Amino acid sequence: MKKKLNGLYYPTKDFQKQANLNNKKIYKEAQKDPVVFWNELAKKEIFWQEPFTETFSVTSPSTSSGPEIKWFSGGKLNLCENVLDKNVEKNPNKIALIWEPENPDEQTKKYTYEELLSEVNKFANALKNLGVKKGDTVGIYLPIIPEIVIAMLACTRIGAVHLVVFSAFSPEALKIRLQTIKTKYLITADGYFRRGKIINLKQNADLGIEGTDVEKVIVVKRAGNDILWNNTRDFWFNELTNNESNICAPEKMNSEDLLFVLPESGTTGQFLPIMHTTAGYTLQAKITGKWVFDYKDSDVFWSTADPGWITGHTYSIYSPLLNGITTVLFEGAPDYPTPDRWAKIIEKNKITILYTAPTAIRMFKQYGAESFKNCDISSLRILGSVGEIIDEPTWLWYHKEIGKNKLPIVDTYWQTETGAIIITSLPGIGPNKPASAGLALPGVNMEIFDDNGRPCKNGVEGNLVMLSPYCPAIVRGIFACPPNERDAQEKYKNVYWNLYGKDIYVTSDRAIKDKHNIIKITGRADDVIKIAGRRITTSELESAVNNHLQISESAVIGVPDEIKGFIPLVFATYRGTKNKDEIIKEIELEIRKSMGPIATPKKIYLVNELPKTRSGKIMRTLLKKLYFNEKDLGDTSTLSNPETIEAIKKILE
Ligand code: WTA
């Protein structure tokens, strides 16, 4: 990209010439009538078993529920057929998937589109034989191995709804997810490697399924570690698929049939099992890849996200594979065994597009450009960022050191709820601005509203919202099994469709637009903190802390961290006599147990009392100000216990 005097970056002539989208007219065309715009794309991009009859509709079933959004009603399609069969027809020998194991001495695995189809069909047949039917839910608790791709695609092929649980999640986190979908089936592995150590995943799975409806557990052999085995319940993945036929007809799915559920954290620690449906997700996953990453047949795309998260679902798997290009999965940690591991993977596989999170970029920035210097990374042609705000120094480092001052950077903004990217300036059009996500994609109408629901003037911060017709992959609801559906519908309405009325989708992010319509995300409007790109609410952390029997109350705040973006800081009330260091260790353990190691706090402070208003609300902003030693503590007159200020100051010293 070239920098212009106004501080904006534009594509080079050569890049622009070859780009899939290189004319800004597309924005105007889309704006004329976004529904017509998406209609035409859907006809062109998706293989329909039966054509759709209505492009978009939105209705309001009752006052206590959110809107019911439908895209491409009447149509029938299968996502897996669009991913595999259609690309096998074009080029069966094209590499679909490259898998890099954590241990660099272990062999890389590659699957052509034809091989992947064959593996998916075998496993789809195996699932059917175990009793999985269209509409059933299936839990997937797998590390980053090819079988996670095979399992997800096999589910979509037979119309089963997958719920992927991040493999580093604790048994408790697994249990809640399995209970939510009341599934009878879980796919897991014996173990996996993390920094050379074996993690016994099966043991976590065994604990996690206690008290759930799971009756059948399919186990992939990965690490070869010893595991406990239940003969009536457990099945080896290989033994199930060995003798299966590699032919399995893709199920005919309605456009609005549930495709997958993926739980996320929302305001005040709400657990939000987000629902995505078939056609809208398929279209947006496919087209955003073509637009934002400028996919070409020869591209080798690497999204470093774990398939357990939405970025992994959409951009490690579905988007590149829908577009018939090669996707790379890497099992291990970015800097293991050495900080040049990523560079080596790029060099070895001639990766052309790298899509990662600011946390990883900041880590490499700290290692220094040397970790990339000894490898040839000249195959790269586009860089992407996702999941958190990328600060300007990190953006500039990424541009200079990895992008050699010429590669476009797409800073992509989206959410689990939007299923795919909704904001980023396109690499063949621009303009791109460091630390700003950019323009809303064609056909997506984003606005920034003030508290009264009026559009903010340029340069004024407000709430980021999406206006009708939203985007095809927008969240369709919060999943719940009977008898909890009504609660879920109310939650759906309250979290996303309440602030400005039922036709305005609220992102819960704060943002600013400049005079070029470039959107800069400034932070969350709720209590979500993004720790290394993961969504965790302070209230979830607080309840984990409060699990400790001797802790009655706690307050968590997010403070900036050089690598992780944000990191939690815990204040907990403790008046007991036990050794404080021990209590702190136990609290840390509680947090790691319920939220995973990612949520480990920077520090845990034990206090006598937390600052509270007269109405009993904990003043978290005051804690933040005290931590940063700010002179102006704001209005403290509403405090019911002003003496806490001095006490906490002392502890922080
Ligand atoms: C944040 C991840 C700034 C934002 C795809 C959003 C970002 C939340 C960006 C969703 C970005 C995502 N710049 N902030 N480019 N992308 N976010 O559901 O707060 O894990 O609401 O989806 O991440 O996180 P989620």
Side-chain angles (χ1 to χ4, degrees), residues 118-136:
S118 171
E119 293 305 314
V120 166
N121 280 348
K122 281 198 228 166
F123 188 54
N125 284 326
L127 286 175
K128 280 192 190 170
N129 283 342
L130 282 184
V132 182
K133 289 187 294 298
K134 180 176 173 178
D136 282 351

Short mmCIF file of all heavy atoms in Angstrom, two decimals, residues 118-136:
data_model
loop_
_atom_site.label_atom_id
_atom_site.label_comp_id
_atom_site.label_asym_id
_atom_site.label_seq_id
_atom_site.Cartn_x
_atom_site.Cartn_y
_atom_site.Cartn_z
N SER A 118 -13.87 -37.41 0.37
CA SER A 118 -13.95 -38.82 0.70
C SER A 118 -13.93 -39.04 2.22
O SER A 118 -14.73 -39.79 2.77
CB SER A 118 -12.76 -39.51 0.00
OG SER A 118 -12.65 -40.80 0.43
N GLU A 119 -13.03 -38.33 2.91
CA GLU A 119 -12.94 -38.47 4.38
C GLU A 119 -14.22 -37.96 5.06
O GLU A 119 -14.70 -38.55 6.02
CB GLU A 119 -11.74 -37.69 4.93
CG GLU A 119 -10.38 -38.22 4.51
CD GLU A 119 -10.19 -39.69 4.86
OE1 GLU A 119 -10.52 -40.07 6.00
OE2 GLU A 119 -9.73 -40.46 3.99
N VAL A 120 -14.71 -36.86 4.55
CA VAL A 120 -15.93 -36.27 5.14
C VAL A 120 -17.10 -37.23 4.94
O VAL A 120 -17.88 -37.48 5.87
CB VAL A 120 -16.22 -34.88 4.52
CG1 VAL A 120 -17.63 -34.40 4.84
CG2 VAL A 120 -15.18 -33.86 5.00
N ASN A 121 -17.21 -37.79 3.75
CA ASN A 121 -18.33 -38.71 3.50
C ASN A 121 -18.26 -39.94 4.39
O ASN A 121 -19.27 -40.40 4.91
CB ASN A 121 -18.34 -39.12 2.03
CG ASN A 121 -18.96 -38.03 1.18
OD1 ASN A 121 -19.57 -37.10 1.70
ND2 ASN A 121 -18.81 -38.14 -0.13
N LYS A 122 -17.05 -40.47 4.55
CA LYS A 122 -16.90 -41.66 5.41
C LYS A 122 -17.36 -41.33 6.83
O LYS A 122 -18.08 -42.10 7.46
CB LYS A 122 -15.43 -42.10 5.44
CG LYS A 122 -15.01 -42.87 4.21
CD LYS A 122 -13.73 -43.61 4.54
CE LYS A 122 -12.69 -43.41 3.48
NZ LYS A 122 -11.37 -43.83 3.90
N PHE A 123 -16.92 -40.18 7.31
CA PHE A 123 -17.28 -39.85 8.68
C PHE A 123 -18.77 -39.49 8.78
O PHE A 123 -19.42 -39.82 9.78
CB PHE A 123 -16.40 -38.72 9.22
CG PHE A 123 -16.60 -38.48 10.69
CD1 PHE A 123 -16.48 -39.53 11.60
CD2 PHE A 123 -16.96 -37.24 11.18
CE1 PHE A 123 -16.69 -39.33 12.97
CE2 PHE A 123 -17.17 -37.03 12.53
CZ PHE A 123 -17.04 -38.08 13.43
N ALA A 124 -19.30 -38.88 7.73
CA ALA A 124 -20.74 -38.55 7.73
C ALA A 124 -21.54 -39.85 7.82
O ALA A 124 -22.50 -39.95 8.60
CB ALA A 124 -21.09 -37.79 6.47
N ASN A 125 -21.11 -40.86 7.08
CA ASN A 125 -21.81 -42.16 7.14
C ASN A 125 -21.67 -42.78 8.53
O ASN A 125 -22.61 -43.38 9.06
CB ASN A 125 -21.26 -43.11 6.07
CG ASN A 125 -21.79 -42.73 4.69
OD1 ASN A 125 -22.92 -42.27 4.56
ND2 ASN A 125 -20.96 -42.93 3.67
N ALA A 126 -20.48 -42.64 9.10
CA ALA A 126 -20.26 -43.19 10.45
C ALA A 126 -21.19 -42.51 11.46
O ALA A 126 -21.78 -43.17 12.33
CB ALA A 126 -18.80 -43.00 10.85
N LEU A 127 -21.32 -41.20 11.34
CA LEU A 127 -22.22 -40.48 12.26
C LEU A 127 -23.65 -40.98 12.11
O LEU A 127 -24.35 -41.23 13.08
CB LEU A 127 -22.17 -38.97 11.98
CG LEU A 127 -20.93 -38.21 12.44
CD1 LEU A 127 -20.99 -36.75 11.97
CD2 LEU A 127 -20.77 -38.25 13.96
N LYS A 128 -24.05 -41.16 10.85
CA LYS A 128 -25.42 -41.66 10.61
C LYS A 128 -25.61 -43.03 11.26
O LYS A 128 -26.64 -43.30 11.88
CB LYS A 128 -25.66 -41.78 9.12
CG LYS A 128 -26.00 -40.47 8.44
CD LYS A 128 -26.50 -40.84 7.06
CE LYS A 128 -26.68 -39.70 6.14
NZ LYS A 128 -26.91 -40.16 4.77
N ASN A 129 -24.59 -43.89 11.12
CA ASN A 129 -24.70 -45.23 11.71
C ASN A 129 -24.80 -45.20 13.22
O ASN A 129 -25.38 -46.08 13.84
CB ASN A 129 -23.49 -46.09 11.32
CG ASN A 129 -23.64 -46.57 9.90
OD1 ASN A 129 -24.76 -46.55 9.35
ND2 ASN A 129 -22.54 -47.00 9.29
N LEU A 130 -24.20 -44.17 13.81
CA LEU A 130 -24.29 -44.05 15.27
C LEU A 130 -25.65 -43.50 15.68
O LEU A 130 -25.97 -43.43 16.86
CB LEU A 130 -23.21 -43.13 15.81
CG LEU A 130 -21.80 -43.68 15.93
CD1 LEU A 130 -20.90 -42.63 16.57
CD2 LEU A 130 -21.77 -44.95 16.76
N GLY A 131 -26.43 -43.03 14.70
CA GLY A 131 -27.78 -42.56 15.01
C GLY A 131 -27.98 -41.07 14.82
O GLY A 131 -29.06 -40.56 15.10
N VAL A 132 -26.94 -40.36 14.37
CA VAL A 132 -27.10 -38.90 14.21
C VAL A 132 -28.02 -38.63 13.01
O VAL A 132 -27.79 -39.15 11.92
CB VAL A 132 -25.73 -38.21 13.98
CG1 VAL A 132 -25.91 -36.70 13.85
CG2 VAL A 132 -24.76 -38.55 15.09
N LYS A 133 -29.03 -37.81 13.26
CA LYS A 133 -29.99 -37.49 12.19
C LYS A 133 -29.99 -36.00 11.91
O LYS A 133 -29.51 -35.20 12.72
CB LYS A 133 -31.40 -37.93 12.62
CG LYS A 133 -31.56 -39.46 12.63
CD LYS A 133 -32.99 -39.89 12.89
CE LYS A 133 -33.50 -39.54 14.26
NZ LYS A 133 -32.80 -40.16 15.38
N LYS A 134 -30.56 -35.66 10.75
CA LYS A 134 -30.73 -34.24 10.39
C LYS A 134 -31.39 -33.48 11.55
O LYS A 134 -32.37 -33.97 12.12
CB LYS A 134 -31.61 -34.18 9.15
CG LYS A 134 -31.89 -32.82 8.62
CD LYS A 134 -32.70 -32.94 7.34
CE LYS A 134 -33.15 -31.57 6.87
NZ LYS A 134 -33.88 -31.65 5.61
N GLY A 135 -30.85 -32.36 11.90
CA GLY A 135 -31.43 -31.55 12.98
C GLY A 135 -30.86 -31.87 14.36
O GLY A 135 -31.01 -31.09 15.29
N ASP A 136 -30.17 -33.01 14.49
CA ASP A 136 -29.55 -33.35 15.79
C ASP A 136 -28.37 -32.42 16.05
O ASP A 136 -27.74 -31.93 15.12
CB ASP A 136 -29.01 -34.79 15.78
CG ASP A 136 -30.13 -35.81 15.96
OD1 ASP A 136 -31.25 -35.39 16.27
OD2 ASP A 136 -29.86 -37.01 15.77
#
